[in-house]
Amino acid sequence: MKQPTSSDACSALDDRCIVEQVLAGDRQRYAVLVHRYHRPLLNLATNRLGNASVAEDAVQDTFVSAYRSLHTYKSEFSFRTWLWTILLNHCRRHASRLARLPRQIDARVLVHGEQTLVCNVDSQASPELAAMHSERHALLSTLLLELPEARADAIRLRFYGQLKYREIASVMNSS
């Protein structure tokens, strides 16, 4: 009978376990976290920043910062909450840089007055489904743009990040 190892004791899906393995020298395991969180982080960043390429930069910066600071992560807290906090900080930095640059609109962004609205449509979707998705996404983006930044970020964390209310409060540093 095989003796269980510490990695067997951890679920392969447990973020904390993966972080422990990365800190113990298995750097390749970090790719699991990148794969797990890339899409939801990118969705929030794209919606928040209104520019897909800048959003991708913010997400990449998030993963690099998280990796470099992994030793500061406290395992008694949720890894994903920690990661989302890093993303929001990078989004704020990128947004302030964007505000100083001439306005550039990419193909997935709709223009609504002075505001930009992100529209991510699956290229495999039927035209009807793509149209419905675009309309729904444009309406959501319009409504988010009308909210104060902190409230809009809280909603983005709930629906793009699937965070629980307790986690959102932690990320947003509020009750």
Side-chain angles (χ1 to χ4, degrees):
M1 182 172 203
K2 180 183 165 192
Q3 289 289 347
T5 64
S6 64
S7 62
D8 291 336
C10 287
S11 162
L13 301 177
D14 183 66
D15 291 344
R16 290 179 186 129
C17 181
I18 294 169
V19 169
E20 287 173 14
Q21 292 170 350
V22 172
L23 290 173
D26 187 0
R27 295 179 183 163
Q28 300 300 328
R29 296 291 290 166
Y30 193 69
V32 173
L33 296 172
V34 172
H35 178 74
R36 179 174 295 161
Y37 290 106
H38 184 266
R39 175 59 60 201
L41 291 175
L42 184 60
N43 286 340
L44 184 144
T46 304
N47 184 275
R48 174 79 161 68
L49 297 168
N51 182 304
S53 64
V54 174
E56 183 64 46
D57 289 345
V59 171
Q60 292 301 321
D61 290 347
T62 297
F63 284 122
V64 169
S65 294
Y67 183 80
R68 287 181 178 157
S69 301
L70 211 52
H71 65 281
T72 68
Y73 165 68
K74 292 179 174 63
S75 62
E76 64 266 18
F77 300 109
S78 165
F79 174 79
R80 75 181 190 156
T81 301
W82 184 72
L83 189 63
W84 284 100
T85 302
I86 295 170
L87 175 71
L88 286 180
N89 288 332
H90 280 289
C91 283
R92 285 184 195 103
R93 285 186 204 109
H94 283 273
S96 68
R97 282 187 213 131
L98 272 178
R100 294 187 298 246
L101 297 175
R103 193 126 188 161
Q104 297 176 354
I105 305 296
D106 71 29
R108 293 184 286 178
V109 177
L110 304 171
V111 178
H112 177 74
E114 293 291 313
Q115 308 282 345
T116 57
L117 312 171
V118 180
C119 180
N120 293 324
V121 180
D122 182 4
S123 61
Q124 303 296 322
S126 69
E128 297 85 15
L129 187 59
M132 286 174 33
H133 178 79
S134 293
E135 284 181 35
R136 190 177 85 194
H137 194 81
L139 177 60
L140 173 63
S141 294
T142 300
L143 295 172
L144 287 172
L145 290 170
E146 293 174 6
L147 293 174
E149 183 180 300
R151 288 185 183 171
D153 283 345
I155 291 171
R156 288 180 184 106
L157 288 169
R158 176 69 183 115
F159 293 101
Y160 290 110
Q162 304 294 308
L163 271 67
K164 298 177 178 116
Y165 296 114
R166 168 179 84 253
E167 294 173 313
I168 295 168
S170 177
V171 170
M172 302 296 295
N173 229 6
S174 67
S175 60

